[in-house]
Amino acid sequence: MTDSAPRPFRIDIPQAELDELNSRIAAARWPDELPDVGWSYGMPVSYLKGLAEYWRTGFDWRTQEAALNEHPQFLADVDGQQVHFLHVRSPEPGALPLVMTHGWPVSFVEFLEVIGPLTDPRAHGGDPADAFHLVIPSMPGFGFSGPTRRAGDSSTEKYTHVVAGLMELLGYDRYGAQGGDVGSFVSPGLGRLVPERVVGVHMNGPITLPSWEYGGEYEKEGDDFGDADRERYAAMTGEGMTERLGYASIQSTRPQTLAFGLHDSPVGLLAWIADLFHQWSNPAVELPEDAVDRDALLTNVTIYWLTQTLASSARLYKESQEWGAELPVSGVPTGIALFPGDHTVRAIAERRHKVVHWSEFDRGGHFAAMEAPDLLVADVRDFFRKIR
């Protein structure tokens, strides 16, 4: 497959697929659950039954589909991979191109609330000098990009090459990069791969695992830690994090085995993803829909179901080699925004990136673009304003 020019794309799911989804939800077999254990054993049946019933009877995919189609969408073939992406150009002629890369278990839906303020700040009470042209791809193996077909194509390293190729295909030779979670590997990866093109990298809550070179030893990693770094490092390496990362242990070892249940049962898929939102969103809130809009959460889950890409998206945990690796510093100016629930260690981040901007917030969470879009927008503007 050779690179191809972008071709327009619109989401148009056949009604038969929606009817089948609703039938499968209605026919779900529910497990028993222990009394009075809350979320400590995982997703409570009593909670999920209500969310699944709303998905079946209250959630309106056609409304969400129409809203998604309000944004210009395209498909292109890049570096052997079909890529779905939004390309939303600003009305401001001096706008800076910005590629925003999502994480897991989300999709391009993660960024819907920031598109308007970032592309058209004049219409949202901002300074038109802060405008961006946005490129928001669905990572290979996610959503409407379709499943990956070769081993290695679901790695963060491969994602970086595909995104760089997409930006080149679109004719952008100078741009910024933003992302969290998986995007916090892809965005700085672009800075290392094409530093002459990337003017700056902004990340929310980048993952700062201790490098395997040091065996994750606190004493060796922590000599230059301040009090906040020591606290975050302890949270990141403690027993609580082991539980939070249980899903990653499975996906990094047996993703194909997991996929059978999640591809066959929409309720199973909903439980798997909603539980991740519960664990990784703002720790001050009780339920997933207290952190993110319920319809946005279900739109995200529905896309995974309809495109049958849970298996290929989860493979990134097995195929990526960058997590905890020692990587060269790109020299590209980097901004970091830290939201509640993330444990980015500043000392480690500053060893791996040229950090020139650091912000901490007391509202929002790991899914910052969905949980606190106003704060993320303001921080992205503040960072890039210095380096445009």
Side-chain angles (χ1 to χ4, degrees):
M1 183 188 296
T2 59
D3 291 0
S4 67
R7 49 196 184 274
F9 174 79
R10 285 181 62 82
I11 304 169
D12 185 14
I13 302 300
Q15 186 59 42
E17 294 187 25
L18 302 178
D19 294 341
E20 184 201 18
L21 168 59
N22 289 335
S23 295
R24 284 174 175 261
I25 297 171
R29 293 202 308 173
W30 296 95
D32 69 324
E33 63 179 334
L34 296 173
D36 305 320
V37 298
W39 290 75
S40 63
Y41 280 66
M43 174 67 67
V45 176
S46 52
Y47 169 75
L48 192 66
K49 278 187 174 180
L51 185 59
E53 182 62 15
Y54 176 77
W55 192 14
R56 186 177 74 86
T57 62
F59 174 75
D60 186 347
W61 167 257
R62 291 303 183 198
T63 296
Q64 303 304 318
E65 183 181 70
L68 297 175
N69 283 331
E70 290 178 2
H71 301 291
Q73 298 175 68
F74 302 88
L75 297 176
D77 300 318
V78 182
D79 201 16
Q81 174 63 45
Q82 177 176 275
V83 183
H84 162 263
F85 62 99
L86 273 60
H87 189 192
V88 187
R89 291 187 59 83
S90 170
E92 304 296 339
L96 175 70
L98 178 67
V99 59
M100 305 188 79
T101 49
H102 63 76
W104 193 94
V106 287
S107 62
F108 73 99
V109 172
E110 180 178 9
F111 296 116
L112 293 180
E113 294 300 315
V114 305
I115 291 174
L118 289 177
T119 58
D120 193 3
R122 187 191 302 269
H124 292 81
D127 185 345
D130 290 328
F132 297 92
H133 300 306
L134 293 185
V135 178
I136 304 175
S138 296
M139 292 292 95
F142 284 77
F144 297 105
S145 287
T148 51
R149 304 296 184 186
R150 301 172 300 188
D153 280 1
S154 290
S155 69
T156 53
E157 303 92 299
K158 176 67 173 184
Y159 297 169
T160 301
H161 281 270
V162 169
V163 173
L166 176 61
M167 296 302 282
E168 183 175 358
L169 187 66
L170 295 175
Y172 290 133
D173 57 9
R174 182 178 185 273
Y175 55 88
Q178 198 285 327
D181 193 80
V182 177
S184 73
F185 291 96
V186 176
S187 297
L190 290 168
R192 290 189 296 271
L193 182 65
V194 284
E196 71 283 1
R197 294 175 179 265
V198 179
V199 300
V201 172
H202 182 279
M203 296 178 282
N204 52 285
I207 300 168
T208 49
L209 293 171
S211 63
W212 308 146
E213 178 181 334
Y214 299 108
E217 294 291 338
Y218 174 82
E219 291 78 13
K220 294 180 180 178
E221 283 283 357
D223 292 343
D224 55 350
F225 288 12
D227 290 343
D229 278 351
R230 293 181 188 277
E231 183 178 337
R232 289 171 185 145
Y233 189 92
M236 183 174 63
T237 57
E239 292 183 5
M241 187 58 70
T242 300
E243 180 174 327
R244 291 176 77 192
L245 290 174
Y247 79 97
S249 296
I250 295 173
Q251 292 181 177
S252 64
T253 55
R254 313 303 291 172
Q256 191 64 41
T257 304
L258 173 70
F260 288 103
L262 303 191
H263 273 244
D264 189 59
S265 168
V267 168
L269 178 65
L270 178 62
W272 193 250
I273 292 179
D275 190 47
L276 268 294
F277 272 85
H278 177 258
Q279 291 187 73
W280 288 94
S281 56
N282 189 340
V285 304
E286 182 179 359
L287 299 174
E289 65 261 35
D290 296 332
V292 302
D293 178 77
R294 182 169 57 171
D295 282 348
L297 171 62
L298 290 172
T299 298
N300 184 69
V301 176
T302 305
I303 288 174
Y304 276 92
W305 175 262
L306 294 173
T307 60
Q308 302 181 52
T309 52
L310 187 283
S312 57
S313 72
R315 285 197 286 264
L316 77 94
Y317 287 82
K318 186 172 182 64
E319 297 184 358
S320 298
Q321 302 298 313
E322 295 181 319
W323 298 19
E326 280 290 305
L327 300 170
V329 177
S330 68
V332 173
T334 300
I336 292 175
L338 192 59
F339 291 84
D342 284 326
H343 302 296
T344 300
V345 177
R346 184 168 185 170
I348 297 177
E350 289 180 339
R351 293 174 189 173
R352 299 178 181 176
H353 311 283
K354 183 183 176 182
V355 178
V356 300
H357 174 97
W358 181 275
S359 301
E360 297 185 19
F361 300 98
D362 59 6
R363 175 167 58 85
H366 185 71
F367 307 102
M370 301 178 79
E371 297 183 65
D374 57 328
L375 297 182
L376 184 65
V377 165
D379 203 65
V380 169
R381 289 173 177 172
D382 288 346
F383 168 67
F384 282 102
R385 190 178 298 132
K386 306 169 186 175
I387 58 175
R388 282 177 178 261

